[in-house]
């Protein structure tokens, strides 16, 4: 029987939300090499890659909170050092940098990849700086480099710090919720993984949104959660907030056509 060669993928952030889910979902499809140390320690990274061979590298690792100094150290400095170190990997074909919708500014229209970046917070700024380095220097590397900007990820049993997980707790305690009359773009983690698979398979070098392409009012998210699990009478503040939702036309053109809707996403969160 002919042996099927599995593509080898090295990743950072294997214990985080996206990295751990990627390992779980694709453990049979790919041979996944998990970088086991903190990404700031570049000497350990350089030791780890000695004599290793892999086809793709996905850089999931990063932090979303902290001082500007800490965010830059992890999300920018460490990322740049990793990209530079990977020059020595002879067979590397493609590097994918996992970025965020936070590199954009707020908008009342769908945001596509051509929109000028205007980070809405320190986290977005640290990611933008890495993006800028990649765009400026990508031709200097033998491997291709892609950038994936991910919008509001939601998945099963997601930890606190994300809207859906946090709003579940709030709805269980409150009858009035304010400051959520605005739109976001929620995308299920399985749809993100399918998108990443397409991007690395095609070795897609352009910056690309990973989003559902659907704007959803946060009040509607609360109403879905309430109707499914609480059935309470809840009132909401009417004051409008700032919006952030994506255009996924480019992603669709690569072959990702279907996305879970908000009700499916909420049900999945509770499984």
């Amino acid at each position: 029987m002919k042996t099927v060669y599995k593509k080898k993928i090295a990743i950072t952030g294997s214990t985080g939300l996206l990295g751990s889910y990627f390992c779980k979902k694709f453990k049979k499809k790919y041979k996944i090499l998990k970088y086991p140390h903190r990404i700031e320690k570049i000497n350990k990274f350089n030791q780890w890659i000695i004599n290793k061979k892999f086809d793709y590298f996905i850089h999931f690792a990063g932090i979303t909170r902290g001082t500007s100094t800490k965010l830059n150290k992890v999300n920018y400095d460490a990322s740049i050092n990793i990209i530079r170190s990977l020059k020595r990997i002879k067979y590397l074909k493609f590097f994918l940098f996992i970025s965020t919708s936070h590199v954009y500014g707020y908008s009342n229209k769908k945001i596509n990849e051509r929109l000028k970046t205007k980070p809405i917070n320190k986290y977005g700024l640290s990611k933008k700086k890495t993006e800028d380095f990649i765009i400026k220097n990508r031709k200097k590397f033998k491997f291709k480099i892609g950038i994936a900007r991910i919008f509001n990820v939601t998945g099963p049993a997601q930890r606190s710090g994300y809207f859906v997980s946090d709003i579940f707790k709030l709805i269980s305690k409150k009858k009035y919720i304010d400051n959520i009359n605005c739109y976001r773009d929620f995308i299920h983690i399985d749809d993100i993984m399918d998108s990443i698979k397409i991007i690395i398979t095609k070795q897609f070098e352009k910056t690309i949104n990973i989003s559902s392409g659907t704007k959803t009012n946060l009040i509607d998210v609360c109403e879905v959660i309430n109707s499914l699990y609480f059935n309470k009478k809840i009132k909401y503040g009417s004051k409008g907030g700032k919006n952030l939702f994506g255009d996924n036309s480019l992603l669709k053109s690569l072959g990702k056509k279907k996305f879970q809707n908000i009700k499916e996403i909420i049900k999945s969160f509770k499984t």
Side-chain angles (χ1 to χ4, degrees):
M1 184 175 179
K2 186 177 179 181
T3 301
V4 177
Y5 171 74
K6 286 185 178 182
K7 294 287 186 182
K8 293 181 180 180
I9 301 180
I11 71 169
T12 61
S14 61
T15 61
L17 174 66
L18 295 176
S20 61
Y21 203 86
F22 181 88
C23 293
K24 179 181 178 180
K25 188 175 179 70
F26 293 122
K27 62 183 178 181
K28 293 182 179 180
K29 182 174 180 59
Y30 302 114
K31 180 174 177 57
I32 301 172
L33 308 177
K34 306 174 187 177
Y35 178 63
H37 306 295
R38 294 190 64 84
I39 59 173
E40 305 98 300
K41 299 180 179 180
I42 195 61
N43 289 336
K44 284 193 174 182
F45 182 81
N46 289 333
Q47 293 171 3
W48 183 77
I49 62 175
I50 292 174
N51 298 324
K52 284 189 169 59
K53 295 180 181 179
F54 39 82
D55 304 282
Y56 310 127
F57 192 105
I58 305 175
H59 185 33
F60 286 111
I63 58 173
T64 59
R65 295 177 177 85
T67 64
S68 294
T69 300
K70 182 65 174 177
L71 286 161
N72 283 324
K73 183 177 181 181
V74 177
N75 295 343
Y76 175 65
D77 294 336
S79 299
I80 301 312
N81 288 334
I82 285 173
I83 294 172
R84 286 173 171 156
S85 292
L86 288 172
K87 281 184 176 182
R88 68 192 68 184
I89 300 297
K90 186 176 179 181
Y91 300 100
L92 179 60
K93 299 180 179 69
F94 185 70
F95 177 97
L96 182 61
F97 176 64
I98 301 300
S99 190
T100 173
S101 61
H102 289 262
V103 301
Y104 295 117
Y106 294 111
S107 175
N108 292 326
K109 297 180 180 180
K110 280 190 175 184
I111 297 170
N112 64 41
E113 296 85 353
R114 297 184 300 276
L115 185 70
K116 185 177 180 180
T117 52
K118 188 179 179 181
I120 59 180
N121 52 35
K122 293 180 290 185
Y123 165 58
L125 180 59
S126 66
K127 288 287 190 175
K128 178 188 179 299
K129 288 174 65 177
T130 307
E131 287 191 13
D132 290 344
F133 171 86
I134 290 171
I135 293 168
K136 182 179 179 180
N137 296 281
R138 60 169 26 123
K139 291 183 179 180
K140 297 178 182 178
F141 299 92
K142 292 182 179 179
F143 50 88
K144 296 179 179 178
I145 306 179
I147 298 169
R149 293 171 177 163
I150 296 179
F151 282 68
N152 289 63
V153 54
T154 302
Q158 194 170 26
R159 61 178 172 79
S160 60
Y162 296 87
F163 181 79
V164 171
S165 54
D166 289 349
I167 207 68
F168 255 95
K169 296 177 183 178
L170 196 61
I171 291 174
S172 68
K173 300 175 182 178
K174 303 287 185 179
K175 293 184 178 180
Y176 178 80
I177 301 175
D178 202 4
N179 298 319
I180 61 167
N181 185 19
C182 56
Y183 292 89
R184 291 293 183 270
D185 187 320
F186 291 88
I187 180 166
H188 191 273
I189 196 167
D190 276 321
D191 289 326
I192 292 174
M193 296 300 122
D194 292 342
S195 302
I196 289 175
K197 176 177 173 289
I198 291 171
I199 292 167
I200 61 175
T201 300
K202 293 181 179 291
Q203 297 176 35
F204 190 73
E205 285 192 277
K206 294 181 180 179
T207 300
I208 187 168
N209 289 339
I210 297 185
S211 74
S212 69
T214 300
K215 69 174 188 177
T216 304
N217 194 293
L218 298 185
I219 292 176
D220 293 332
V221 177
C222 292
E223 284 296 278
V224 171
I225 294 171
N226 187 35
S227 65
L228 288 173
Y229 301 105
F230 296 99
N231 197 28
K232 295 171 59 177
K233 289 185 178 180
I234 300 176
K235 293 184 177 180
Y236 304 95
S238 60
K239 185 178 179 180
K242 296 178 179 179
N243 305 314
L244 185 66
F245 47 92
D247 183 331
N248 66 358
S249 300
L250 184 56
L251 181 59
K252 285 184 174 180
S253 74
L254 294 185
K256 175 60 178 169
K257 303 296 184 182
K258 295 182 179 180
F259 299 85
Q260 294 188 43
N261 61 41
I262 192 61
K263 190 171 184 178
E264 292 169 324
I265 289 173
I266 297 303
K267 285 183 176 180
S268 172
F269 170 78
K270 290 295 289 182
T271 57

